[in-house]
Amino acid sequence: QVQLVESGGGLVQDGGSLRLSCAASGSIISFKDMGWYRQAPGKQRELVTTITRGGSTNYADSVKGRFTISRDIAKNTVYLQMNSLKPEDTAVYYCHANSWTYNYWGQGTQVTVSS
């Protein structure tokens, strides 16, 4: 059973930065892809960014140029660097891993951006 543990959320002012981490209990290159989703109050969970096994990345239009996904294969950890944060980025951020046959989710970490 794969476990994903997020950390790094918190409260930040408009324009600030945060870095989220997602530590996996297994090898991250065994997954088809990993990524970050977010869910704001009263809204559906939405894709933020993904990184494939081969290292290709994809971003939602709303975060392009501000957020960067990266990984440390040796540490089995995926990161989300968030810059120029806006109040509309406020949400619970979830780490996700796709193993071809199963989708794994972390417990989520709260990010709150104050105006």
Side-chain angles (χ1 to χ4, degrees), residues 74-91:
K75 294 183 178 180
N76 290 320
T77 300
V78 174
Y79 304 97
L80 179 63
Q81 178 66 44
M82 304 185 292
N83 298 328
S84 302
L85 282 160
K86 306 174 183 180
E88 51 263 44
D89 294 318
T90 295

Side-chain angles (χ1 to χ4, degrees), residues 5-112:
V5 179
E6 301 105 332
S7 61
L11 174 64
V12 65
Q13 289 189 331
D14 191 354
S17 298
L18 281 175
R19 189 177 81 154
L20 306 183
S21 299
C22 172
S25 59
S27 173
I28 61 174
I29 59 172
S30 69
F31 300 119
K32 179 181 180 182
D33 57 68
M34 294 187 69
W36 293 91
Y37 287 70
R38 67 186 181 186
Q39 187 166 19
K43 295 187 177 181
Q44 290 188 330
R45 191 172 297 189
E46 64 176 3
L47 172 69
V48 177
T49 179
T50 59
I51 184 167
T52 68
R53 184 181 182 187
S56 298
T57 58
N58 179 56
Y59 295 91
D61 288 342
S62 59
V63 306
K64 280 181 182 176
R66 300 188 298 122
F67 290 13
T68 303
I69 189 170
S70 63
R71 64 186 180 181
D72 186 328
I73 294 172
K75 294 183 178 180
N76 290 320
T77 300
V78 174
Y79 304 97
L80 179 63
Q81 178 66 44
M82 304 185 292
N83 298 328
S84 302
L85 282 160
K86 306 174 183 180
E88 51 263 44
D89 294 318
T90 295
V92 178
Y93 283 70
Y94 296 92
C95 181
H96 170 260
N98 175 6
S99 72
W100 282 279
T101 58
Y102 194 80
N103 288 307
Y104 295 95
W105 295 93
Q107 80 286 357
T109 185
Q110 177 70 45
V111 171
T112 302

